Amino acid sequence: MITKSFLFLTFLAFGKQESLEICEVENQSCHKVSYEKYIFYDVNPSEGFNLRRDVYMRFAIMLAEAQESGRRLSWRLVLPPWYNLYHWKSVTKKNVPLPWGSFFDVKSMQSFSPIVELYDLFDKAKQHPVIIDRIYVLQNFADAFENGEFIEKWEVSSGCNYEGFWGYNNITAKEVICINFQGKISKLWELIGLHPQDKYIMFAHGEIALHDAYGTKTYWDCRRSMKFNDQLVQRAEEFVSKYLECSTKMCNNYISIHWRRQDFARYRKKDVPSIKGTAQQIKKAVKHFNSYINKVYIATDAAISSLRDLEIELTHLGFSVYYYMPSKADIEKFRDGGVAIIDQIICSYAAYFIGTHESTFSFRIQEEREILGHDSSSTFNRFCPDSGPCERPSKWTIVY
Ligand code: GFB
């Protein structure tokens, strides 16, 4: 409580009212009082887990860079809970919003950017419900190019709405504004600057704002801070040790594949191989890389019947095949999201990896392998279609 003994207040942070320093003359002491403001964001409901991880990075970097520049110190990023993801098909406990701590080491993420879990914000916010001052619903412009040029811009538009708040009914908003937006994420500060008094703002369709820069040191600093939650790492390591007989994060005795099927096998036939073709490509890769390896770890979203067919093909070719089949208890504990991360961790420890073209699930494994220090020639490999052109995957190597 501020009493008469507090005689003066100073504004910090370049004259903006971002934090207050309160000095008490009687005690001759000063302390800062935080004046926190919060950015919420959400992503198009149909987007999967691994694109969402990338959207997080765009916002986390935006906030981290703002802090580093010494401006906008009061802003925090609220992590949108994981809720009702389209690809999460297991029928376990009823669908509840899951915090980021279920999958990631949030303390490590906080070492990079000023983030808070939504449940922490509920604790901090004195008002209930939390009332968001303004939701900006981002939309694409009808035509991204003006006279053949991509220009960064935004304009207020109409015809949008926002339904959501991850199933919570104790969040609401005063105003929803539709914005046609194209450009880098730091341009969102222009929108934030329109109403300097706002304390809680939100961007819906956050995926529309692009990275300021991709693959830079800052990108990788952020990416490295996204460590997985310990329980998931432990479960993956148990599997690697017990079945793949390796006890380091850089195994030399198995290769891993991410075999994305489902919609990829149906609609992207020019990018993915048949079952027989997959087995043949694995054989060729092993022969080229290290013909002593005979263990193949498969991460996949394929139907069990297709997985068994691939297993039969690979067994005929002399390979021992491994995959992680979560028990009911594992699914209850880790949920679909955690089970997928366990697959990703196991793939990341392998001597050699082959991924699926343009799958963000594969991209995240490649990044993990870069962080672990695998030679990039063992990482940036993809399955090709049985016939036709096969573009080499881009190499996004780590920067320190
Ligand atoms: O993560 P994600 O965006 O990767 O979505 P893509 C695919 C989801 O399918 C994952 C499951 O988050 C998992 O829930 N999944 C895929 C897997 N592969 C595996 C696997 O090997 N193991 C396990 N356990 N689960 C995007 C989609 O997928 O591709 C978009 O999100 C769209 O909706 C686009 O379809 C073309 O980038 O592969």
Side-chain angles (χ1 to χ4, degrees), residues 64-101:
E65 290 194 327
Q67 295 247 312
E68 213 168 286
S69 71
R71 299 165 63 216
R72 301 162 178 144
L73 293 174
S74 54
W75 288 101
R76 307 282 175 269
L77 181 65
V78 182
L79 299 173
W82 300 96
Y83 182 63
N84 247 345
L85 259 64
Y86 168 77
H87 302 94
W88 291 0
K89 303 261 163 70
S90 289
V91 186
T92 52
K93 283 182 227 151
K94 84 180 172 359
N95 200 354
V96 288
L98 298 173
W100 281 59

Side-chain angles (χ1 to χ4, degrees), residues 39-41 56 59-60 63 75-79 113-116:
I39 296 177
F40 295 66
Y41 75 94
Y56 159 76
F59 279 96
L63 277 265
W75 288 101
R76 307 282 175 269
L77 181 65
V78 182
L79 299 173
S113 193
I115 55 173
V116 286

Side-chain angles (χ1 to χ4, degrees), residues 46-51 86-88 258 260 263-264 268 299-301 336 339-340 343 358-361:
S46 66
E47 298 296 350
F49 191 86
N50 289 291
L51 179 87
Y86 168 77
H87 302 94
W88 291 0
H258 174 228
R260 182 76 160 82
D263 46 339
F264 275 56
R268 293 179 167 229
T300 189
D301 58 341
D336 291 297
V339 165
D343 257 346
E358 287 183 350
S359 162
T360 55
F361 192 106

